[in-house]
Amino acid sequence: MESYQRSGLRFDVTDLGPSAPGTPAVLCLHGFPQDRSAYDGVAERLVGHDVRVLAPDQRGYSPGARPRGRRAYALTELVADAVALLDAAGAQRAHVVGHDWGGVVAWALAAWHPERVASLTALSQAHPAAMGAAVLRSSQGLRSWYVGAFQVPALPERVLASGGALARTLVRSELPEHLAQRYADRALADGAARLSAGIGWYRALPLGGRPVGRVTVPTTYLHGWRDPFYSRATVMGTARQVTGPFQRRTLDTGHWVPELEPDAVAAAVLEHVEADRMAA
């Protein structure tokens, strides 16, 4: 499967590994301003273990799935896109992996549709409720300053598109230069429409909507101790949002866990896959 459709939108997908009925599926959700290639290293390590890897370019990142208006990027729509991919792939359940904004989608998918989620592996992204609780009692508010800045119409796109600013910003957050330049080039290749759509995820936040809620499925939370975007209170508070089996693992890295720590990600996912196989 190279793509799937939902509500007239077409999403590009990387689909690797066996697709026979009963094969464990792993759904990999990228963040901002990444794309599905963020999981290339993880996918390489998973496909040799009799699993199917599904990695979409999500809403706003796929050229055929770039609706206008911030309401189109509400979390409920992003989660529905992920459910539609599982339906199109014939996967009743999946081991879900999410990084950054993809982690927000993954947390919500696990909370709202636990029957579709065999396990959750959250990369960098803490539980949204833990972030919200930490904003007023830790450095989380300062660490998330860009969320407010992204609410300004048009200006963030102009700033990030000028003079290599987006690539430099990503490099400062410890993303290797060749990956930072690749993501920046893709974001700006079509007149910044893709960049604007990615920022649309942030602009949809003030619209509110359904709280994510607690997660009951087996969950592993992998985070880098040098990640500048999450306070200690946010990281530590995430465990209180999971009522199912939970593990937190601290990695010697920054924010970009799928690109820089594919071995650790693949190992965590495969632990869940094997546990699910044993329980079947």
Side-chain angles (χ1 to χ4, degrees), residues 46-143:
L46 291 177
V47 294
H49 294 269
D50 195 29
V51 298
R52 182 183 186 184
V53 179
L54 299 165
D57 278 345
Q58 296 189 83
R59 179 174 291 237
Y61 295 84
S62 288
R66 197 169 290 159
R68 301 178 68 86
R70 62 176 183 166
R71 192 169 297 277
Y73 296 92
L75 185 57
T76 50
E77 294 292 339
L78 305 174
V79 171
D81 293 340
V83 172
L85 172 53
L86 296 182
D87 290 343
Q92 183 59 37
R93 300 164 73 238
H95 298 273
V96 179
V97 187
H99 175 250
D100 187 81
W101 251 112
V104 178
V105 178
W107 282 111
L109 177 61
W112 298 347
H113 301 282
E115 74 285 356
R116 305 302 300 269
V117 179
S119 71
L120 168 63
T121 302
L123 310 179
S124 303
Q125 178 63 51
H127 190 286
M131 289 190 68
V135 164
L136 297 179
R137 59 183 180 87
S138 73
S139 63
Q140 188 59 58
L142 291 175
R143 292 170 185 265

Side-chain angles (χ1 to χ4, degrees), residues 184-224:
D185 288 346
R186 277 205 72 187
L188 302 172
D190 50 6
R194 183 173 179 274
L195 174 61
S196 185
I199 294 174
W201 293 37
Y202 295 92
R203 289 176 174 149
L205 279 171
L207 300 177
R210 183 179 178 184
V212 170
R214 285 186 166 84
V215 168
T216 60
V217 305
T219 299
T220 300
Y221 176 30
L222 301 181
H223 68 98

Side-chain angles (χ1 to χ4, degrees), residues 124 139-140 142-146 169-170 172-174 224-232 253-256:
S124 303
S139 63
Q140 188 59 58
L142 291 175
R143 292 170 185 265
S144 301
W145 66 269
Y146 56 91
T169 299
L170 296 175
R172 284 198 296 270
S173 65
E174 297 191 25
W225 69 269
R226 296 195 304 276
D227 193 323
F229 301 116
Y230 307 96
S231 69
R232 176 174 173 77
T253 191
H255 181 66
W256 306 98

